[in-house]
């Protein structure tokens, strides 16, 4: 989907200003030359400037682009279902991972997405079985990120 640069720039400008304004509400840290609002303000200002740049670029180009252009792939129902499946997988992970745990949730999510993308069942199963182990090792052991514990994780310890 192609969104008009002026519209997207306007949204970015508003978000950037909102970030800067919100950062100003952060508490002042005694004895520090730069407070906690410093870097968020720089980032918000940068986002706002990029938004202004997009609006100016659109205004000087004298193009009459529509606000939104729908690409060809969105005219196919299966492609739209597949794109929505990715969003559904993220929502499923957020809702299910506290109860099921990381390993089982990633297995189910990966298997569902791989099958939705029309991969063969045998390949989907192999990937869905290997992926949670690799991710669990990488995040939990390698990076020491606490992951949601569930049925399988309780059996491992």
């Amino acid at each position: 989907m192609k969104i008009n640069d002026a519209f997207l720039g306007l949204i970015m400008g508003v978000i950037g200003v909102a970030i800067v304004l919100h950062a100003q509400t952060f508490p002042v840290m005694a004895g520090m030359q730069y407070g906690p609002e410093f870097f968020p303000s720089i980032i918000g200002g940068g986002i706002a400037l990029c938004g202004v740049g997009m609006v100016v670029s659109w205004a000087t180009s004298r193009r009459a682009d529509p606000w939104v252009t729908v690409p060809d792939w969105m005219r196919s129902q299966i492609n739209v279902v597949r794109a929505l499946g990715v969003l559904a997988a993220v929502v499923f992970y957020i809702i299910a991972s506290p109860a099921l745990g990381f390993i089982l949730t990633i297995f189910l999510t990966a298997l569902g997405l791989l099958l939705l993308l029309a991969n063969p069942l045998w390949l989907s199963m192999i990937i869905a079985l290997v992926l949670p182990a690799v991710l669990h090792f990488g995040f939990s052991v390698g990076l020491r990120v606490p992951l949601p514990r569930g049925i399988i994780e309780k059996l491992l310890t």
Side-chain angles (χ1 to χ4, degrees):
M1 181 176 318
K2 169 90 170 80
I3 299 174
N4 187 303
D5 286 348
F7 182 63
L8 195 57
L10 183 64
I11 291 171
M12 286 177 62
V14 169
I15 289 172
V17 169
I19 290 171
V20 170
L21 292 175
H22 181 68
Q24 302 311 309
T25 66
F26 293 171
V28 176
M29 306 296 284
M32 293 184 68
Q33 189 173 7
Y34 303 106
E37 82 286 348
F38 182 69
F39 287 112
S41 295
I42 290 175
I43 293 169
I47 292 172
L49 285 175
C50 287
V52 169
M54 289 177 72
V55 172
V56 169
S57 173
W58 171 82
T60 58
S61 70
R62 302 181 195 268
R63 291 187 317 230
D65 295 338
W67 286 105
V68 176
T69 305
V70 178
D72 292 336
W73 71 265
M74 286 187 77
R75 289 180 175 76
S76 167
Q77 285 182 339
I78 188 64
N79 290 336
V80 172
V81 168
R82 288 173 176 165
L84 291 174
V86 173
L87 295 175
V90 171
V91 171
F92 173 73
Y93 177 82
I94 292 169
I95 293 171
S97 65
L100 299 178
F102 179 81
I103 294 175
L104 186 56
T105 307
I106 290 296
F107 169 77
L108 294 172
T109 303
L111 183 61
L113 284 174
L114 288 164
L115 292 174
L116 183 63
L117 294 172
N119 288 295
L121 179 60
W122 66 271
L123 180 61
S124 299
M125 286 297 290
I126 291 171
I127 294 172
L129 285 169
V130 171
L131 183 65
V134 170
L135 290 176
H136 187 271
F137 180 78
F139 282 105
S140 186
V141 177
L143 298 174
R144 296 171 113 44
V145 174
L147 298 173
R149 295 181 54 80
I151 302 163
I152 297 174
E153 289 85 356
K154 290 176 184 171
L155 295 173
L156 294 175
T157 57

